[in-house]
Amino acid sequence: MAMTLIHSIPAIRATLVAGLLMLATILISYLLFLEEGRTPAFLPTISTTWDYVPANYLSRWSVSFSCFVLQLMAVVSYCATRDRFKHSQLLLGMAVVGLLCLSVVGAACSSTKLPSCRGAGKVHDVAAVTFFVLYDLYLIISIKQLGASPVPALALAGAACAAKIRWLPSGYLGTSFPVVPVFEWADVGVIVIAQLVLALHIAQPYCVSIADVAEPGKPRGSETTSITASFPANKITVATVSLMFGCSVITYPFALHQGIIEPGFPYVISDTWWHAPGDIIARWGVTFSTHLLQILLLMLDHATRRRAHNWLWLAQLGTFGMSVVAVVSEVEQPILHVVCALTWGVGVDIYMLCLLYTSDAADEEDSVDLGGRRIIKKKKKKTKRVSR
């Protein structure tokens, strides 16, 4: 199928980025935990290290982004193996739902008392347990069906089963050794390794691309490739807008009931994002929508024939600023929150104004409007009549 590639990244590289980002987040959070002299020094659970500043901000953003990328990789794995894997749709569902739960873990801290967390312990625990169960099973079954070395699958199965001792009643183990954290860290480590093994065997020939696909009989580019799965721009747009504005609407009645804002309009939207459950909703939904918006900006740049390409970076920076606004509330870090909010408003507004300006400036010639349609204007010739 003929297409014009806008941006492309190998699936294996995307998996490495997501895995390394998660590992870096876990390691940095633990080092900060030690630096601040918190207990236990050996060994806290991973979630415990995410309850304190600044690891809480880092984990909220990086976990969301890693889950977003790994969900795309799950789709790649499904497309590559749906003809030879049994129950491939079930495996895809397990991976997507499991990663969705992990993103909730990042958004909902484990502590409900710490001002730096303002989380929901039960929501956090249920989401964490669901993630480990579903994603462990997904990786174990996938690796087993590959017919590759059974060592990663057996190691993952052992670590997964051992990590489930966290469900035992407190004090049941009768030891001061941090058994639960050790097995939790081991489970996470084996998950990362198993994910890389799966990617190396399945995703290596594949890429995740943003492309302008030609309509039948109307080729737009000379590149030809095989498309295994696609997500139309209109559906991504609907998902982005629904998440962004849906979170703003949903958090309003909670903030109103809690007395955080006064009835009526106008009100500052981010005021509804600093107290549970509004903070958890914003950390999850708004951050996820900004990842989608980054993709849409690349599509928009191509659809408008790069009319404002020099200002695209400003819109992308503003979108990143919005993701920071969602994970860092105005109560936690007011200066950082306000600066990022201004970056969002100014960056995206300037880019949109540049798009409108460049489209208007090109109206006298062949140009492309914001919808990507070709506009051809014919100039009228003036003739003079001479009478005798």
Side-chain angles (χ1 to χ4, degrees):
M1 182 178 291
M3 66 168 61
T4 301
L5 283 179
I6 302 171
H7 187 73
S8 182
I9 180 172
I12 186 65
R13 187 183 301 174
T15 304
L16 282 172
V17 168
L20 291 176
L21 180 60
M22 280 296 299
L23 289 178
T25 299
I26 292 172
L27 180 59
I28 292 172
S29 300
Y30 179 58
L31 292 177
L32 290 171
F33 187 85
L34 294 180
E35 180 68 22
E36 294 166 358
R38 303 189 185 279
T39 56
F42 183 84
L43 185 68
T45 60
I46 296 173
S47 297
T48 301
T49 66
W50 292 350
D51 289 344
Y52 303 95
V53 177
N56 55 347
Y57 310 140
L58 175 63
S59 62
R60 293 169 191 171
W61 190 92
S62 61
V63 172
S64 172
F65 180 77
S66 297
C67 290
F68 175 75
V69 174
L70 289 176
Q71 283 176 325
L72 291 177
M73 295 307 101
V75 175
V76 171
S77 297
Y78 164 75
C79 294
T81 60
R82 56 188 166 189
D83 294 331
R84 55 193 177 105
F85 273 20
K86 296 179 180 179
H87 312 298
S88 56
Q89 289 185 344
L90 178 61
L91 288 174
L92 175 62
M94 291 167 62
V96 171
V97 174
L99 290 167
L100 182 66
C101 290
L102 180 59
S103 66
V104 173
V105 170
C109 301
S110 58
S111 174
T112 56
K113 297 179 181 180
L114 289 173
S116 60
C117 181
R118 300 181 185 275
K122 292 183 179 180
V123 173
H124 177 96
D125 293 342
V126 170
V129 169
T130 306
F131 161 72
F132 278 113
V133 171
L134 291 180
Y135 212 69
D136 284 346
L137 287 173
Y138 162 71
L139 291 174
I140 291 170
I141 297 172
S142 297
I143 292 176
K144 183 177 182 299
Q145 293 195 80
L146 274 177
S149 171
V151 174
L154 292 174
L156 181 59
C161 294
K164 302 307 178 281
I165 64 171
R166 76 186 72 185
W167 302 341
L168 295 176
S170 179
Y172 183 82
L173 296 173
T175 177
S176 59
F177 184 79
V179 178
V180 174
V182 167
F183 282 120
E184 181 193 48
W185 285 69
D187 195 0
V188 171
V190 178
I191 283 176
V192 173
I193 295 172
Q195 178 68 65
L196 292 177
V197 170
L198 187 65
L200 285 170
H201 282 81
I202 295 178
Q204 198 162 5
Y206 293 85
C207 289
V208 178
S209 304
I210 303 172
D212 183 5
V213 182
E215 296 177 5
K218 297 180 180 180
R220 294 176 184 169
S222 57
E223 300 182 50
T224 304
T225 187
S226 174
I227 299 176
T228 56
S230 63
F231 301 95
N234 58 347
K235 292 185 178 180
I236 297 177
T237 303
V238 170
T240 305
V241 173
S242 299
L243 275 174
M244 185 78 74
F245 289 96
C247 289
S248 303
V249 172
I250 292 172
T251 55
Y252 175 76
F254 289 111
L256 192 64
H257 176 72
Q258 293 164 344
I260 297 173
I261 59 175
E262 297 294 331
F265 294 89
Y267 68 94
V268 179
I269 295 176
S270 58
D271 284 348
T272 67
W273 293 353
W274 67 265
H275 197 283
D279 57 349
I280 300 171
I281 295 171
R283 293 170 192 169
W284 181 84
V286 176
T287 307
F288 199 89
S289 68
T290 58
H291 305 327
L292 292 173
L293 184 56
Q294 293 283 9
I295 296 175
L296 285 177
L297 285 172
L298 293 173
M299 293 179 176
L300 182 61
D301 182 57
H302 174 76
T304 55
R305 305 183 77 84
R306 300 166 68 89
R307 292 286 184 185
H309 181 73
N310 291 337
W311 297 97
L312 176 63
W313 67 271
L314 195 57
Q316 292 176 319
L317 179 63
T319 303
F320 173 74
M322 186 60 189
S323 67
V324 177
V325 168
V327 301
V328 182
S329 73
E330 60 188 54
V331 176
E332 295 172 323
Q333 295 289 337
I335 296 178
L336 178 61
H337 181 92
V338 171
V339 169
C340 289
L342 290 174
T343 304
W344 155 254
V346 173
V348 175
D349 286 352
I350 288 178
Y351 178 67
M352 293 301 177
L353 287 173
C354 289
L355 281 179
L356 294 172
Y357 172 77
T358 52
S359 293
D360 291 341
D363 275 351
E364 294 183 359
E365 302 176 357
D366 293 353
S367 63
V368 176
D369 70 354
L370 294 182
R373 296 182 297 272
R374 194 74 177 171
I375 301 174
I376 301 177
K377 291 193 172 184
K378 295 182 179 179
K379 294 182 179 179
K380 295 181 179 179
K381 294 183 179 180
K382 294 182 179 180
T383 57
K384 294 183 178 179
R385 293 183 179 179
V386 180
S387 58
R388 293 182 180 178

